[in-house]
Amino acid sequence: MPAGVRFATPEDVPALVALAAATFPLACPPGTDPADIAEFIATNLTVDEFAAHVASPTRVVLVHETGGVLDGYVLMFGASEVRPEPSFGVTREPSAYLSKCYVLPGVLGGSVAGPLMDAAKQAAVGVLGAGSIWLNTNVANERAARFYRKHGFQRVGGKQMQVGAALMDDDVFEVLLPAG
């Protein structure tokens, strides 16, 4: 694992929930209704949800820690849990689904997201047995798209994501992984 990155533990769950609530709005396009964001956070980024993620053998939760504070995390699902629809354009299976890759605003563009992504690729192969990783990000989130391209991802398709009452358009990206 790169420096500062480790697998999340049950003790990390409260801090993960706070980190998720602080970072999810960063991925939403400008103009997203704050009530929709709040509903998504209240429904999907809860203590129970994160406890289940951390405990599951078919999911990977990685955290980045600086000075005892969690400042970034990754949540990834194995192919047995989340499979891409054919319309998403994913080319290699089994494929891990990178659901979340978020860092605190103060460390955007710094040394947190890159090590998290490197560790996610390692865990996708070594833990989940994946041949690729796929993810989706809002079409307006150009910063994220640049980051994913920098780390070898290519746009392969599109999908929609429900955030509260809003239906968002997302790009689907995939990176092929070396055999484990």
Side-chain angles (χ1 to χ4, degrees):
M1 287 278 151
V5 179
R6 62 178 172 78
F7 288 97
T9 67
E11 292 76 24
D12 293 320
V13 168
L16 271 166
V17 170
L19 180 60
T23 56
F24 177 75
L26 302 173
C28 298
T32 303
D33 186 338
D36 288 339
I37 294 171
E39 179 183 333
F40 185 89
I41 291 169
T43 304
N44 298 287
L45 305 177
T46 66
V47 167
D48 289 344
E49 289 291 320
F50 273 99
H53 297 320
V54 169
S56 175
T58 58
R59 300 175 196 163
V60 168
V61 183
L62 300 169
V63 294
H64 187 281
E65 188 172 18
T66 304
V69 175
L70 299 187
D71 51 8
Y73 78 102
V74 161
L75 169 61
M76 206 166 28
F77 292 82
S80 65
E81 285 201 70
V82 178
R83 296 204 56 205
E85 294 180 20
S87 63
F88 297 174
V90 174
T91 62
R92 185 185 291 171
E93 293 197 44
S95 187
Y97 172 54
L98 183 68
S99 174
K100 309 277 185 283
C101 181
Y102 294 137
V103 301
L104 288 174
V107 296
L108 284 172
S111 60
V112 174
L116 274 169
M117 183 56 72
D118 292 342
K121 289 176 182 178
Q122 292 171 10
V125 173
V127 176
L128 301 176
S132 72
I133 299 173
W134 71 278
L135 60 89
N136 55 290
T137 190
N138 189 275
V139 296
N141 194 340
E142 294 174 16
R143 179 183 208 126
R146 280 191 309 272
F147 172 79
Y148 295 130
R149 284 187 183 100
K150 178 181 175 183
H151 288 275
F153 285 80
Q154 295 182 358
R155 186 189 181 283
V156 294
K159 73 179 288 281
Q160 292 189 309
M161 180 175 167
Q162 191 80 36
V163 177
L167 195 58
M168 305 285 185
D169 289 321
D170 282 7
D171 286 325
V172 175
F173 288 85
E174 179 185 33
V175 65
L176 303 181
L177 301 171

